[in-house]
PDB file of all heavy atoms in Angstrom:
ATOM      1  N   HIS A 147       9.594  -4.300  -5.225  1.00 97.00           N
ATOM      2  CA  HIS A 147       9.089  -3.575  -6.392  1.00 97.00           C
ATOM      3  C   HIS A 147       8.538  -2.230  -5.947  1.00 97.00           C
ATOM      4  O   HIS A 147       7.629  -2.172  -5.115  1.00 97.00           O
ATOM      5  CB  HIS A 147       7.988  -4.394  -7.091  1.00 97.00           C
ATOM      6  CG  HIS A 147       7.168  -3.583  -8.049  1.00 97.00           C
ATOM      7  ND1 HIS A 147       7.628  -3.217  -9.295  1.00 97.00           N
ATOM      8  CD2 HIS A 147       5.921  -3.049  -7.941  1.00 97.00           C
ATOM      9  CE1 HIS A 147       6.700  -2.499  -9.918  1.00 97.00           C
ATOM     10  NE2 HIS A 147       5.651  -2.382  -9.109  1.00 97.00           N
ATOM     11  N   ASP A 148       9.091  -1.138  -6.488  1.00 97.00           N
ATOM     12  CA  ASP A 148       8.628   0.207  -6.144  1.00 97.00           C
ATOM     13  C   ASP A 148       7.310   0.532  -6.835  1.00 97.00           C
ATOM     14  O   ASP A 148       7.261   0.627  -8.066  1.00 97.00           O
ATOM     15  CB  ASP A 148       9.662   1.252  -6.580  1.00 97.00           C
ATOM     16  CG  ASP A 148      10.917   1.233  -5.741  1.00 97.00           C
ATOM     17  OD1 ASP A 148      10.882   1.791  -4.632  1.00 97.00           O
ATOM     18  OD2 ASP A 148      11.929   0.669  -6.206  1.00 97.00           O
ATOM     19  N   PRO A 149       6.215   0.736  -6.069  1.00 96.00           N
ATOM     20  CA  PRO A 149       4.981   1.212  -6.690  1.00 96.00           C
ATOM     21  C   PRO A 149       5.210   2.608  -7.274  1.00 96.00           C
ATOM     22  O   PRO A 149       5.849   3.450  -6.638  1.00 96.00           O
ATOM     23  CB  PRO A 149       3.987   1.277  -5.520  1.00 96.00           C
ATOM     24  CG  PRO A 149       4.555   0.330  -4.496  1.00 96.00           C
ATOM     25  CD  PRO A 149       6.040   0.461  -4.633  1.00 96.00           C
ATOM     26  N   CYS A 150       4.705   2.852  -8.468  1.00 95.00           N
ATOM     27  CA  CYS A 150       4.953   4.142  -9.145  1.00 95.00           C
ATOM     28  C   CYS A 150       4.480   5.343  -8.331  1.00 95.00           C
ATOM     29  O   CYS A 150       5.180   6.347  -8.220  1.00 95.00           O
ATOM     30  CB  CYS A 150       4.269   4.155 -10.516  1.00 95.00           C
ATOM     31  SG  CYS A 150       4.990   2.985 -11.696  1.00 95.00           S
ATOM     32  N   TYR A 151       3.281   5.232  -7.753  1.00 95.00           N
ATOM     33  CA  TYR A 151       2.723   6.387  -7.038  1.00 95.00           C
ATOM     34  C   TYR A 151       3.362   6.586  -5.673  1.00 95.00           C
ATOM     35  O   TYR A 151       3.176   7.622  -5.034  1.00 95.00           O
ATOM     36  CB  TYR A 151       1.204   6.243  -6.888  1.00 95.00           C
ATOM     37  CG  TYR A 151       0.460   6.529  -8.172  1.00 95.00           C
ATOM     38  CD1 TYR A 151      -0.131   5.500  -8.905  1.00 95.00           C
ATOM     39  CD2 TYR A 151       0.368   7.829  -8.667  1.00 95.00           C
ATOM     40  CE1 TYR A 151      -0.792   5.764 -10.096  1.00 95.00           C
ATOM     41  CE2 TYR A 151      -0.286   8.097  -9.851  1.00 95.00           C
ATOM     42  CZ  TYR A 151      -0.875   7.062 -10.562  1.00 95.00           C
ATOM     43  OH  TYR A 151      -1.523   7.335 -11.742  1.00 95.00           O
ATOM     44  N   LEU A 152       4.137   5.598  -5.227  1.00 96.00           N
ATOM     45  CA  LEU A 152       4.859   5.741  -3.967  1.00 96.00           C
ATOM     46  C   LEU A 152       6.271   6.258  -4.229  1.00 96.00           C
ATOM     47  O   LEU A 152       6.700   7.240  -3.622  1.00 96.00           O
ATOM     48  CB  LEU A 152       4.942   4.388  -3.248  1.00 96.00           C
ATOM     49  CG  LEU A 152       5.588   4.411  -1.855  1.00 96.00           C
ATOM     50  CD1 LEU A 152       4.754   5.240  -0.896  1.00 96.00           C
ATOM     51  CD2 LEU A 152       5.758   2.986  -1.336  1.00 96.00           C
ATOM     52  N   GLY A 153       6.968   5.612  -5.161  1.00 95.00           N
ATOM     53  CA  GLY A 153       8.350   5.959  -5.464  1.00 95.00           C
ATOM     54  C   GLY A 153       8.493   7.181  -6.336  1.00 95.00           C
ATOM     55  O   GLY A 153       8.654   8.306  -5.860  1.00 95.00           O
ATOM     56  N   ARG A 154       8.391   6.977  -7.636  1.00 93.00           N
ATOM     57  CA  ARG A 154       8.605   8.091  -8.556  1.00 93.00           C
ATOM     58  C   ARG A 154       7.585   9.214  -8.368  1.00 93.00           C
ATOM     59  O   ARG A 154       7.876  10.377  -8.611  1.00 93.00           O
ATOM     60  CB  ARG A 154       8.576   7.579  -9.996  1.00 93.00           C
ATOM     61  CG  ARG A 154       9.806   6.745 -10.338  1.00 93.00           C
ATOM     62  CD  ARG A 154       9.774   6.233 -11.758  1.00 93.00           C
ATOM     63  NE  ARG A 154       8.686   5.285 -11.983  1.00 93.00           N
ATOM     64  CZ  ARG A 154       8.365   4.797 -13.175  1.00 93.00           C
ATOM     65  NH1 ARG A 154       9.005   5.194 -14.244  1.00 93.00           N
ATOM     66  NH2 ARG A 154       7.390   3.924 -13.294  1.00 93.00           N
ATOM     67  N   GLY A 155       6.396   8.860  -7.914  1.00 94.00           N
ATOM     68  CA  GLY A 155       5.361   9.886  -7.732  1.00 94.00           C
ATOM     69  C   GLY A 155       5.544  10.734  -6.493  1.00 94.00           C
ATOM     70  O   GLY A 155       5.201  11.917  -6.481  1.00 94.00           O
ATOM     71  N   ASN A 156       6.091  10.132  -5.416  1.00 96.00           N
ATOM     72  CA  ASN A 156       6.177  10.853  -4.146  1.00 96.00           C
ATOM     73  C   ASN A 156       7.513  10.696  -3.415  1.00 96.00           C
ATOM     74  O   ASN A 156       7.625  11.054  -2.238  1.00 96.00           O
ATOM     75  CB  ASN A 156       5.030  10.416  -3.227  1.00 96.00           C
ATOM     76  CG  ASN A 156       3.686  10.934  -3.697  1.00 96.00           C
ATOM     77  OD1 ASN A 156       3.351  12.103  -3.502  1.00 96.00           O
ATOM     78  ND2 ASN A 156       2.900  10.077  -4.346  1.00 96.00           N
ATOM     79  N   ASP A 157       8.497  10.138  -4.103  1.00 95.00           N
ATOM     80  CA  ASP A 157       9.862  10.026  -3.553  1.00 95.00           C
ATOM     81  C   ASP A 157       9.957   9.236  -2.255  1.00 95.00           C
ATOM     82  O   ASP A 157      10.815   9.523  -1.411  1.00 95.00           O
ATOM     83  CB  ASP A 157      10.479  11.415  -3.340  1.00 95.00           C
ATOM     84  CG  ASP A 157      10.720  12.148  -4.654  1.00 95.00           C
ATOM     85  OD1 ASP A 157      11.117  11.489  -5.629  1.00 95.00           O
ATOM     86  OD2 ASP A 157      10.487  13.372  -4.706  1.00 95.00           O
ATOM     87  N   VAL A 158       9.094   8.244  -2.074  1.00 95.00           N
ATOM     88  CA  VAL A 158       9.202   7.363  -0.908  1.00 95.00           C
ATOM     89  C   VAL A 158       9.896   6.085  -1.363  1.00 95.00           C
ATOM     90  O   VAL A 158       9.282   5.218  -1.986  1.00 95.00           O
ATOM     91  CB  VAL A 158       7.818   7.031  -0.303  1.00 95.00           C
ATOM     92  CG1 VAL A 158       7.966   6.087   0.884  1.00 95.00           C
ATOM     93  CG2 VAL A 158       7.109   8.312   0.119  1.00 95.00           C
ATOM     94  N   TYR A 159      11.177   6.000  -1.086  1.00 96.00           N
ATOM     95  CA  TYR A 159      11.982   4.849  -1.507  1.00 96.00           C
ATOM     96  C   TYR A 159      12.572   4.076  -0.330  1.00 96.00           C
ATOM     97  O   TYR A 159      12.665   2.852  -0.365  1.00 96.00           O
ATOM     98  CB  TYR A 159      13.151   5.309  -2.395  1.00 96.00           C
ATOM     99  CG  TYR A 159      12.739   5.932  -3.703  1.00 96.00           C
ATOM    100  CD1 TYR A 159      12.960   7.289  -3.942  1.00 96.00           C
ATOM    101  CD2 TYR A 159      12.142   5.170  -4.707  1.00 96.00           C
ATOM    102  CE1 TYR A 159      12.597   7.870  -5.152  1.00 96.00           C
ATOM    103  CE2 TYR A 159      11.774   5.752  -5.914  1.00 96.00           C
ATOM    104  CZ  TYR A 159      12.008   7.093  -6.128  1.00 96.00           C
ATOM    105  OH  TYR A 159      11.638   7.668  -7.327  1.00 96.00           O
ATOM    106  N   GLU A 160      12.996   4.793   0.695  1.00 95.00           N
ATOM    107  CA  GLU A 160      13.790   4.151   1.740  1.00 95.00           C
ATOM    108  C   GLU A 160      12.979   3.427   2.810  1.00 95.00           C
ATOM    109  O   GLU A 160      13.407   2.397   3.321  1.00 95.00           O
ATOM    110  CB  GLU A 160      14.716   5.184   2.388  1.00 95.00           C
ATOM    111  CG  GLU A 160      15.745   5.775   1.416  1.00 95.00           C
ATOM    112  CD  GLU A 160      16.513   4.708   0.650  1.00 95.00           C
ATOM    113  OE1 GLU A 160      16.893   3.686   1.256  1.00 95.00           O
ATOM    114  OE2 GLU A 160      16.714   4.890  -0.569  1.00 95.00           O
ATOM    115  N   ALA A 161      11.817   3.967   3.177  1.00 95.00           N
ATOM    116  CA  ALA A 161      11.032   3.353   4.254  1.00 95.00           C
ATOM    117  C   ALA A 161      10.722   1.876   3.997  1.00 95.00           C
ATOM    118  O   ALA A 161      10.947   1.037   4.878  1.00 95.00           O
ATOM    119  CB  ALA A 161       9.747   4.148   4.500  1.00 95.00           C
ATOM    120  N   PRO A 162      10.226   1.509   2.808  1.00 94.00           N
ATOM    121  CA  PRO A 162       9.947   0.086   2.561  1.00 94.00           C
ATOM    122  C   PRO A 162      11.205  -0.774   2.660  1.00 94.00           C
ATOM    123  O   PRO A 162      11.162  -1.890   3.193  1.00 94.00           O
ATOM    124  CB  PRO A 162       9.397   0.077   1.130  1.00 94.00           C
ATOM    125  CG  PRO A 162       8.922   1.463   0.880  1.00 94.00           C
ATOM    126  CD  PRO A 162       9.853   2.342   1.659  1.00 94.00           C
ATOM    127  N   ARG A 163      12.305  -0.251   2.163  1.00 95.00           N
ATOM    128  CA  ARG A 163      13.565  -1.016   2.185  1.00 95.00           C
ATOM    129  C   ARG A 163      14.093  -1.186   3.601  1.00 95.00           C
ATOM    130  O   ARG A 163      14.639  -2.236   3.955  1.00 95.00           O
ATOM    131  CB  ARG A 163      14.598  -0.323   1.287  1.00 95.00           C
ATOM    132  CG  ARG A 163      14.267  -0.478  -0.185  1.00 95.00           C
ATOM    133  CD  ARG A 163      15.140   0.374  -1.084  1.00 95.00           C
ATOM    134  NE  ARG A 163      14.969  -0.009  -2.480  1.00 95.00           N
ATOM    135  CZ  ARG A 163      13.954   0.374  -3.249  1.00 95.00           C
ATOM    136  NH1 ARG A 163      13.027   1.193  -2.743  1.00 95.00           N
ATOM    137  NH2 ARG A 163      13.846  -0.032  -4.497  1.00 95.00           N
ATOM    138  N   GLU A 164      13.944  -0.160   4.414  1.00 93.00           N
ATOM    139  CA  GLU A 164      14.380  -0.257   5.805  1.00 93.00           C
ATOM    140  C   GLU A 164      13.577  -1.317   6.556  1.00 93.00           C
ATOM    141  O   GLU A 164      14.117  -2.053   7.392  1.00 93.00           O
ATOM    142  CB  GLU A 164      14.240   1.106   6.506  1.00 93.00           C
ATOM    143  CG  GLU A 164      15.268   2.137   6.061  1.00 93.00           C
ATOM    144  CD  GLU A 164      16.693   1.693   6.312  1.00 93.00           C
ATOM    145  OE1 GLU A 164      16.962   1.162   7.406  1.00 93.00           O
ATOM    146  OE2 GLU A 164      17.542   1.856   5.407  1.00 93.00           O
ATOM    147  N   LEU A 165      12.284  -1.404   6.249  1.00 93.00           N
ATOM    148  CA  LEU A 165      11.432  -2.411   6.898  1.00 93.00           C
ATOM    149  C   LEU A 165      11.876  -3.822   6.522  1.00 93.00           C
ATOM    150  O   LEU A 165      11.917  -4.718   7.368  1.00 93.00           O
ATOM    151  CB  LEU A 165       9.969  -2.194   6.506  1.00 93.00           C
ATOM    152  CG  LEU A 165       9.305  -0.911   7.026  1.00 93.00           C
ATOM    153  CD1 LEU A 165       7.913  -0.760   6.438  1.00 93.00           C
ATOM    154  CD2 LEU A 165       9.232  -0.919   8.550  1.00 93.00           C
ATOM    155  N   ILE A 166      12.210  -4.020   5.252  1.00 92.00           N
ATOM    156  CA  ILE A 166      12.658  -5.343   4.797  1.00 92.00           C
ATOM    157  C   ILE A 166      13.985  -5.705   5.455  1.00 92.00           C
ATOM    158  O   ILE A 166      14.200  -6.851   5.881  1.00 92.00           O
ATOM    159  CB  ILE A 166      12.775  -5.371   3.262  1.00 92.00           C
ATOM    160  CG1 ILE A 166      11.381  -5.257   2.630  1.00 92.00           C
ATOM    161  CG2 ILE A 166      13.470  -6.650   2.783  1.00 92.00           C
ATOM    162  CD1 ILE A 166      11.378  -5.056   1.131  1.00 92.00           C
ATOM    163  N   LYS A 167      14.883  -4.731   5.577  1.00 90.00           N
ATOM    164  CA  LYS A 167      16.177  -4.983   6.215  1.00 90.00           C
ATOM    165  C   LYS A 167      16.010  -5.337   7.691  1.00 90.00           C
ATOM    166  O   LYS A 167      16.798  -6.103   8.252  1.00 90.00           O
ATOM    167  CB  LYS A 167      17.085  -3.756   6.062  1.00 90.00           C
ATOM    168  CG  LYS A 167      17.562  -3.514   4.632  1.00 90.00           C
ATOM    169  CD  LYS A 167      18.334  -2.207   4.508  1.00 90.00           C
ATOM    170  CE  LYS A 167      18.732  -1.935   3.067  1.00 90.00           C
ATOM    171  NZ  LYS A 167      19.391  -0.611   2.908  1.00 90.00           N
ATOM    172  N   LYS A 168      14.968  -4.766   8.334  1.00 90.00           N
ATOM    173  CA  LYS A 168      14.706  -5.072   9.742  1.00 90.00           C
ATOM    174  C   LYS A 168      14.337  -6.541   9.938  1.00 90.00           C
ATOM    175  O   LYS A 168      14.434  -7.075  11.045  1.00 90.00           O
ATOM    176  CB  LYS A 168      13.559  -4.194  10.272  1.00 90.00           C
ATOM    177  CG  LYS A 168      13.918  -2.730  10.443  1.00 90.00           C
ATOM    178  CD  LYS A 168      14.787  -2.500  11.650  1.00 90.00           C
ATOM    179  CE  LYS A 168      15.048  -1.012  11.860  1.00 90.00           C
ATOM    180  NZ  LYS A 168      15.960  -0.773  12.992  1.00 90.00           N
ATOM    181  N   LEU A 169      13.914  -7.196   8.869  1.00 92.00           N
ATOM    182  CA  LEU A 169      13.548  -8.616   8.939  1.00 92.00           C
ATOM    183  C   LEU A 169      14.778  -9.511   8.864  1.00 92.00           C
ATOM    184  O   LEU A 169      14.654 -10.734   8.844  1.00 92.00           O
ATOM    185  CB  LEU A 169      12.597  -8.960   7.782  1.00 92.00           C
ATOM    186  CG  LEU A 169      11.243  -8.257   7.773  1.00 92.00           C
ATOM    187  CD1 LEU A 169      10.527  -8.500   6.444  1.00 92.00           C
ATOM    188  CD2 LEU A 169      10.379  -8.745   8.928  1.00 92.00           C
ATOM    189  N   ASP A 170      15.968  -8.898   8.819  1.00 90.00           N
ATOM    190  CA  ASP A 170      17.238  -9.632   8.678  1.00 90.00           C
ATOM    191  C   ASP A 170      17.301 -10.393   7.361  1.00 90.00           C
ATOM    192  O   ASP A 170      18.010 -11.400   7.244  1.00 90.00           O
ATOM    193  CB  ASP A 170      17.459 -10.611   9.839  1.00 90.00           C
ATOM    194  CG  ASP A 170      17.672  -9.887  11.158  1.00 90.00           C
ATOM    195  OD1 ASP A 170      18.241  -8.781  11.128  1.00 90.00           O
ATOM    196  OD2 ASP A 170      17.268 -10.421  12.206  1.00 90.00           O
ATOM    197  N   ALA A 171      16.531  -9.911   6.387  1.00 92.00           N
ATOM    198  CA  ALA A 171      16.534 -10.548   5.069  1.00 92.00           C
ATOM    199  C   ALA A 171      17.586  -9.887   4.184  1.00 92.00           C
ATOM    200  O   ALA A 171      18.071  -8.792   4.477  1.00 92.00           O
ATOM    201  CB  ALA A 171      15.155 -10.427   4.419  1.00 92.00           C
ATOM    202  N   GLU A 172      17.929 -10.556   3.095  1.00 93.00           N
ATOM    203  CA  GLU A 172      18.864  -9.991   2.118  1.00 93.00           C
ATOM    204  C   GLU A 172      18.053  -9.297   1.036  1.00 93.00           C
ATOM    205  O   GLU A 172      17.366  -9.951   0.253  1.00 93.00           O
ATOM    206  CB  GLU A 172      19.732 -11.090   1.505  1.00 93.00           C
ATOM    207  CG  GLU A 172      20.724 -10.564   0.473  1.00 93.00           C
ATOM    208  CD  GLU A 172      21.468 -11.651  -0.278  1.00 93.00           C
ATOM    209  OE1 GLU A 172      21.373 -12.829   0.126  1.00 93.00           O
ATOM    210  OE2 GLU A 172      22.131 -11.325  -1.286  1.00 93.00           O
ATOM    211  N   LEU A 173      18.102  -7.962   1.019  1.00 95.00           N
ATOM    212  CA  LEU A 173      17.362  -7.195   0.017  1.00 95.00           C
ATOM    213  C   LEU A 173      18.145  -7.195  -1.292  1.00 95.00           C
ATOM    214  O   LEU A 173      19.270  -6.697  -1.347  1.00 95.00           O
ATOM    215  CB  LEU A 173      17.143  -5.763   0.508  1.00 95.00           C
ATOM    216  CG  LEU A 173      16.447  -4.803  -0.474  1.00 95.00           C
ATOM    217  CD1 LEU A 173      15.039  -5.281  -0.790  1.00 95.00           C
ATOM    218  CD2 LEU A 173      16.417  -3.386   0.089  1.00 95.00           C
ATOM    219  N   VAL A 174      17.559  -7.780  -2.330  1.00 96.00           N
ATOM    220  CA  VAL A 174      18.202  -7.849  -3.641  1.00 96.00           C
ATOM    221  C   VAL A 174      17.451  -6.929  -4.594  1.00 96.00           C
ATOM    222  O   VAL A 174      16.262  -7.148  -4.872  1.00 96.00           O
ATOM    223  CB  VAL A 174      18.205  -9.293  -4.195  1.00 96.00           C
ATOM    224  CG1 VAL A 174      18.999  -9.352  -5.495  1.00 96.00           C
ATOM    225  CG2 VAL A 174      18.767 -10.262  -3.171  1.00 96.00           C
ATOM    226  N   GLU A 175      18.124  -5.895  -5.071  1.00 97.00           N
ATOM    227  CA  GLU A 175      17.464  -4.921  -5.935  1.00 97.00           C
ATOM    228  C   GLU A 175      17.363  -5.429  -7.377  1.00 97.00           C
ATOM    229  O   GLU A 175      18.271  -6.089  -7.893  1.00 97.00           O
ATOM    230  CB  GLU A 175      18.235  -3.600  -5.946  1.00 97.00           C
ATOM    231  CG  GLU A 175      18.275  -2.886  -4.601  1.00 97.00           C
ATOM    232  CD  GLU A 175      16.960  -2.219  -4.224  1.00 97.00           C
ATOM    233  OE1 GLU A 175      15.949  -2.422  -4.928  1.00 97.00           O
ATOM    234  OE2 GLU A 175      16.949  -1.492  -3.214  1.00 97.00           O
TER     235      GLU A 175
END
Side-chain angles (χ1 to χ4, degrees):
H147 164 76
D148 289 281
C150 293
Y151 284 108
L152 184 64
R154 289 180 295 173
N156 289 282
D157 294 322
V158 179
Y159 296 112
E160 297 309 319
R163 288 171 169 80
E164 288 300 316
L165 293 174
I166 292 171
K167 290 174 183 175
K168 289 285 184 183
L169 296 170
D170 293 328
E172 180 188 349
L173 177 63
V174 185
E175 295 286 8

